[in-house]
Amino acid sequence: MIENINWYPGHMKKTRELIQENLKLVDIVIEVIDARIPISSRNPIIDELVKGKQRLILLNKSDLADPKANDRWIDHFKKQGHIALPANCMSGGGIGPLYKTLNRLQAEKNEGQVRNKPLRMMIVGVPNVGKSSLINRMTGKKSAKTGDRPGVTKGKQWLGLENGMQLLDTPGILWPKFEDPMVGLNLAFCGSIKDEILDMADLALELIGVLGREYPAQLMERYKLTELYDTPLENMEAIALKRGFILPGKRIDYERCAKTVLDEFRGGKIGRITLENLGEI
């Protein structure tokens, strides 16, 4: 297993301070997580910082995750006392129910008040889980920078919504060290850690191993494999042969195969896959 995956740029320390400074100004924290990795994409630092504040957990990229797993995770978070909703922030899926929930919370906040005040929200989450896409959906314009590379959002932004609500965006924040190496791997699989600091061939090999154990049928179907071999390396080489990823001298092009498998997993082309289940908590 790849070990010691860590990525903690200096601006993430500033983000922690930013959240601490502004938490008292908001009514609710919207925590965006990746529905494929509901454990790994929940930063314990965020959990610690916003403790006691009302929380809405948005399972983004739920369209890429196993539907039954989505339902189980939503029930789990609700039992913990949080509001939990599935979403696809890129397409806008789930934004309607989100607005309905926020409108209810704003009405509850202003019940019995002479002067209505806007609901103020903070968006938090690890890099590349879809915070900026959510903000753009909610504001109806490209107010926040977006990209499929982690670390795009750099500073605090207060944004006004058409219904009068106010939104505070913060950059993505990771934690300094992953105690469980699998957390770092899951985040890397889903693109929340910069590919440039990783060995892509090794990362894809790890992913093929996980998919071979947990989602063998989807892996075989996507890459037209008639069987799976005993090791991830053998399966990776079988995928490369099926796709024609061959270098001069009949050598396997491991780098091209690795990029393809990672890109297709991240794009949902291998299937709707959830890498973490409730039994792993």
Side-chain angles (χ1 to χ4, degrees):
M1 178 181 290
I2 301 175
E3 296 182 353
N4 300 321
I5 295 179
N6 287 290
W7 182 53
Y8 196 66
H11 80 268
M12 291 187 181
K13 179 177 181 295
K14 295 179 182 177
T15 301
R16 176 173 181 156
E17 296 169 352
L18 189 68
I19 291 173
Q20 288 176 314
E21 292 169 3
N22 292 282
L23 192 61
K24 60 182 179 295
L25 303 176
V26 302
D27 303 299
I28 185 170
V29 173
I30 300 177
E31 181 184 3
V32 184
I33 67 173
D34 189 320
R36 297 168 295 180
I37 48 171
I39 303 170
S40 297
S41 61
R42 294 196 74 205
N43 188 339
I45 288 178
I46 291 176
D47 214 33
E48 171 193 334
L49 290 176
V50 303
K51 188 176 182 180
K53 185 69 66 170
Q54 187 169 31
R55 190 100 55 94
L56 189 158
I57 298 176
L58 199 69
L59 285 81
N60 190 34
K61 306 183 184 181
S62 59
D63 57 308
L64 302 177
D66 185 324
K68 292 181 180 179
N70 287 341
D71 292 340
R72 289 193 293 267
W73 279 109
I74 287 170
D75 287 342
H76 170 74
F77 291 131
K78 286 181 177 178
K79 288 176 181 177
Q80 289 186 329
H82 305 307
I83 302 168
L85 297 169
N88 177 355
C89 296
M90 286 295 290
S91 70
I95 300 304
L98 172 62
Y99 264 123
K100 185 176 180 180
T101 300
L102 295 175
N103 286 333
R104 174 178 60 80
L105 294 174
Q106 180 165 257
E108 291 174 359
K109 174 184 178 179
N110 289 305
E111 186 176 359
Q113 300 296 317
V114 176
R115 183 179 178 182
N116 288 344
K117 294 182 179 180
L119 188 73
R120 304 188 89 182
M121 300 163 278
M122 178 186 288
I123 303 282
V124 299
V126 303
N128 206 33
V129 289
K131 298 184 307 298
S132 295
S133 296
L134 170 62
I135 292 164
N136 292 340
R137 281 283 167 186
M138 295 180 73
T139 59
K141 57 185 178 180
K142 291 189 176 181
S143 303
K145 296 178 182 178
T146 60
D148 57 3
R149 293 161 59 85
V152 173
T153 307
K154 295 296 184 182
K156 180 178 74 173
Q157 301 181 77
W158 275 107
L159 304 169
L161 308 185
E162 289 183 0
N163 60 4
M165 296 180 187
Q166 295 181 336
L167 188 65
L168 176 65
D169 178 32
T170 60
I173 176 173
L174 286 176
W175 51 106
K177 185 177 181 179
F178 307 130
E179 295 182 5
D180 182 354
M182 201 64 217
V183 170
L185 274 179
N186 284 333
L187 288 164
F189 291 154
C190 295
S192 287
I193 296 176
K194 287 183 176 179
D195 287 339
E196 291 86 346
I197 72 168
L198 304 167
D199 185 309
M200 299 299 285
D202 285 347
L203 184 63
L205 199 61
E206 295 279 4
L207 178 60
I208 290 169
V210 172
L211 297 179
R213 292 191 302 272
E214 304 296 333
Y215 290 88
Q218 289 88 332
L219 187 66
M220 292 171 65
E221 181 179 353
R222 178 63 188 173
Y223 297 107
K224 305 296 188 291
L225 305 177
T226 56
E227 63 177 335
L228 290 179
Y229 295 96
D230 293 333
T231 68
L233 180 58
E234 290 175 298
N235 290 324
M236 187 177 193
E237 290 173 344
I239 291 169
L241 290 172
K242 283 288 185 179
R243 289 292 180 92
F245 299 152
I246 307 299
L247 295 168
K250 297 183 179 181
R251 292 175 295 120
I252 299 290
D253 190 340
Y254 293 102
E255 292 298 327
R256 186 178 176 192
C257 186
K259 186 177 186 308
T260 297
V261 171
L262 287 165
D263 286 348
E264 292 187 353
F265 165 73
R266 293 169 182 174
K269 294 180 179 178
I270 298 176
R272 296 186 64 175
I273 292 169
T274 298
L275 297 177
E276 296 175 321
N277 60 61
L278 286 168
E280 296 169 339
I281 294 180

